Structures are given as C-alpha cells and as structure tokens.
Amino acid sequence: MWTVVEYTLHRFPFHYVTEKEPLRLLTGGLHLLHHEIPNRGDYVVSPILLSTPFYLLISGMGYLITGNIFTISIFMAGLALAYLIYEWIHYFTHHRAAKTSIGKYLKKHHMLHHFKDSNNYFGVTSPLWDWMFGTLPNKSENRETQILPIISREHS
Ligand SMILES: [Zn+2]
Ligand SMILES: [Zn+2]
C-alpha cells in the first residue's frame, strides 16, 4: 500500500509547481529544493509539519471509507512505519554506497530521476508503479527528458 502512496505523492503534488503560498510548501516547495540540492540531508527527509497534513488527509479518507477508527488507526500505524522505511531508503540512495543488487537498483533508479529524467522514475522503494503507469521508460524509447529544478530554470 505504501508504494502506491509514495508514487502518487511524488509524481503529482511533489512535482506540482506553483508560487501560491501555502500550497507551494505543501506541494513541490521542499521537493524542488531537494532536486536543486540533492545531497543536502535536511532536504532529503520531510519535516514532520509537512508530512502531518498528508497523514491527516489519508487518515480522514480511510475513516470515511471504513467508518472504523480502530481499523484506520492500525492501517495508519503501518503506513507510518512504511514511511520511515521509505525515508531511510531515500536517504540511503543519496548518502550511502549500495552493496546489494537491490540497493544498487534502487539507487540507480532514483539517481535517474534526479539526474537524467525528472518526469519519470518516481518510485523510490519500488519501480512497480513506474512500470504500471508508464513512467519506467523503455531504454530503446526515443523521448524528451527533463531535469528539475523547474523553478531555477524559470527564474534564472
Ligand atoms: Zn522528484
Ligand atoms: Zn532524492
């Protein structure tokens, strides 16, 4: 479940560019800073005040669907744990040398997102949803690529 949440948040709100506050902060604001300075540690992980609105939104939607506070509480605890694992893997892809084949694959996948094509490779913990939704480019495809940061390009 986490992998699709991660993919959806990364692909849509975090790559949505706007100058309007506070929407800018809740969408691509911090993420675009992360694209601009990828190895700065405090831009790799999301501050708790920024992740809380998404957590509350997903909790509310889950409660509306299930109508059961216990079910959604257990679900959200699992989602929070998955989020911490995601943050660790994301940090790892930027700051550690991968030794296993899975680690090397995830690091390469995320570095392609940062340094080759920011319109693709949105999955950090898994390439599954990139593959499902067509954002895992075929190596033989002839396509246009874009490298963020978009903001720096527009205002420089
Ligand atoms: Zn991104
Ligand atoms: Zn990153």
Side-chain angles (χ1 to χ4, degrees):
M1 186 68 198
W2 167 258
T3 58
V4 73
V5 171
E6 165 203 311
Y7 177 88
T8 305
L9 289 175
H10 187 191
R11 183 172 179 184
F12 299 107
F14 295 164
H15 276 245
Y16 179 77
V17 179
T18 181
E19 295 294 318
K20 293 178 184 159
E21 299 288 355
L23 192 60
R24 186 191 66 80
L25 189 63
L26 290 173
T27 57
L30 185 66
H31 189 69
L32 295 177
L33 285 174
H34 172 56
H35 271 273
E36 200 164 334
I37 314 169
N39 288 330
R40 191 168 149 175
D42 54 339
Y43 291 162
V44 173
V45 295
S46 169
I48 195 83
L49 283 177
L50 204 57
S51 52
T52 300
F54 289 104
Y55 195 81
L56 293 174
L57 179 70
I58 295 169
S59 298
M61 286 171 34
Y63 182 72
L64 289 175
I65 292 168
T66 65
N68 185 323
I69 193 74
F70 298 108
T71 301
I72 200 61
S73 296
I74 291 168
F75 176 80
M76 292 310 292
L79 207 62
L81 179 62
Y83 174 71
L84 292 175
I85 293 169
Y86 153 80
E87 289 284 34
W88 179 78
I89 291 173
H90 188 202
Y91 189 87
F92 169 88
T93 64
H94 282 277
H95 296 279
R96 296 286 183 263
K99 293 177 181 158
T100 67
S101 57
I102 293 173
K104 286 175 185 171
Y105 181 87
L106 292 177
K107 185 177 178 93
K108 182 180 175 190
H109 190 82
H110 192 57
M111 293 305 110
L112 285 170
H113 175 71
H114 272 284
F115 300 111
K116 185 167 188 213
D117 186 357
S118 303
N119 285 327
N120 287 296
Y121 307 103
F122 291 102
V124 173
T125 59
S126 166
L128 175 66
W129 303 106
D130 282 309
W131 178 72
M132 290 283 287
F133 296 125
T135 52
L136 184 63
N138 186 333
K139 286 178 185 161
S140 62
E141 261 177 46
N142 189 12
R143 64 199 155 74
E144 284 187 28
T145 60
Q146 178 189 33
I147 300 173
L148 289 176
I150 296 167
I151 288 175
S152 295
R153 284 186 175 175
E154 288 178 350
H155 298 283
S156 60

PDB file of all heavy atoms in Angstrom, residues 34 90 94 110 114, ligand 2:
ATOM      1  N   HIS A  34      14.936  19.803  -2.844  1.00  0.00           N
ATOM      2  CA  HIS A  34      15.674  18.538  -2.832  1.00  0.00           C
ATOM      3  C   HIS A  34      16.253  18.253  -4.218  1.00  0.00           C
ATOM      4  O   HIS A  34      17.385  17.791  -4.337  1.00  0.00           O
ATOM      5  CB  HIS A  34      14.757  17.404  -2.379  1.00  0.00           C
ATOM      6  CG  HIS A  34      15.366  16.053  -2.521  1.00  0.00           C
ATOM      7  ND1 HIS A  34      16.575  15.718  -1.939  1.00  0.00           N
ATOM      8  CD2 HIS A  34      14.962  14.954  -3.199  1.00  0.00           C
ATOM      9  CE1 HIS A  34      16.862  14.466  -2.251  1.00  0.00           C
ATOM     10  NE2 HIS A  34      15.914  13.980  -3.030  1.00  0.00           N
ATOM     11  N   HIS A  90      15.367   6.371   0.967  1.00  0.00           N
ATOM     12  CA  HIS A  90      15.649   7.580   0.188  1.00  0.00           C
ATOM     13  C   HIS A  90      16.982   8.192   0.623  1.00  0.00           C
ATOM     14  O   HIS A  90      17.821   8.545  -0.212  1.00  0.00           O
ATOM     15  CB  HIS A  90      14.503   8.580   0.355  1.00  0.00           C
ATOM     16  CG  HIS A  90      14.621   9.765  -0.548  1.00  0.00           C
ATOM     17  ND1 HIS A  90      14.010  10.956  -0.287  1.00  0.00           N
ATOM     18  CD2 HIS A  90      15.305   9.951  -1.719  1.00  0.00           C
ATOM     19  CE1 HIS A  90      14.306  11.820  -1.253  1.00  0.00           C
ATOM     20  NE2 HIS A  90      15.091  11.242  -2.126  1.00  0.00           N
ATOM     21  N   HIS A  94      20.929   8.481  -1.506  1.00  0.00           N
ATOM     22  CA  HIS A  94      21.710   9.705  -1.686  1.00  0.00           C
ATOM     23  C   HIS A  94      23.053   9.682  -0.963  1.00  0.00           C
ATOM     24  O   HIS A  94      23.995  10.349  -1.400  1.00  0.00           O
ATOM     25  CB  HIS A  94      20.921  10.919  -1.192  1.00  0.00           C
ATOM     26  CG  HIS A  94      19.877  11.357  -2.159  1.00  0.00           C
ATOM     27  ND1 HIS A  94      20.149  12.180  -3.229  1.00  0.00           N
ATOM     28  CD2 HIS A  94      18.563  11.066  -2.235  1.00  0.00           C
ATOM     29  CE1 HIS A  94      19.040  12.386  -3.911  1.00  0.00           C
ATOM     30  NE2 HIS A  94      18.057  11.718  -3.341  1.00  0.00           N
ATOM     31  N   HIS A 110      16.648   5.932  -8.571  1.00  0.00           N
ATOM     32  CA  HIS A 110      16.413   7.267  -8.020  1.00  0.00           C
ATOM     33  C   HIS A 110      17.376   8.303  -8.605  1.00  0.00           C
ATOM     34  O   HIS A 110      17.006   9.451  -8.837  1.00  0.00           O
ATOM     35  CB  HIS A 110      16.495   7.234  -6.498  1.00  0.00           C
ATOM     36  CG  HIS A 110      15.978   8.500  -5.877  1.00  0.00           C
ATOM     37  ND1 HIS A 110      14.700   8.975  -6.112  1.00  0.00           N
ATOM     38  CD2 HIS A 110      16.570   9.410  -5.065  1.00  0.00           C
ATOM     39  CE1 HIS A 110      14.530  10.122  -5.466  1.00  0.00           C
ATOM     40  NE2 HIS A 110      15.651  10.417  -4.827  1.00  0.00           N
ATOM     41  N   HIS A 114      16.729  11.934 -10.565  1.00  0.00           N
ATOM     42  CA  HIS A 114      17.353  13.223 -10.247  1.00  0.00           C
ATOM     43  C   HIS A 114      18.175  13.787 -11.403  1.00  0.00           C
ATOM     44  O   HIS A 114      18.116  14.978 -11.679  1.00  0.00           O
ATOM     45  CB  HIS A 114      18.290  13.075  -9.044  1.00  0.00           C
ATOM     46  CG  HIS A 114      17.592  13.261  -7.733  1.00  0.00           C
ATOM     47  ND1 HIS A 114      17.226  14.488  -7.253  1.00  0.00           N
ATOM     48  CD2 HIS A 114      17.186  12.359  -6.815  1.00  0.00           C
ATOM     49  CE1 HIS A 114      16.625  14.350  -6.084  1.00  0.00           C
ATOM     50  NE2 HIS A 114      16.584  13.053  -5.797  1.00  0.00           N
TER      51      HIS A 114
HETATM   52 ZN    ZN B   2      16.028  12.093  -3.853  1.00  0.00          ZN
END
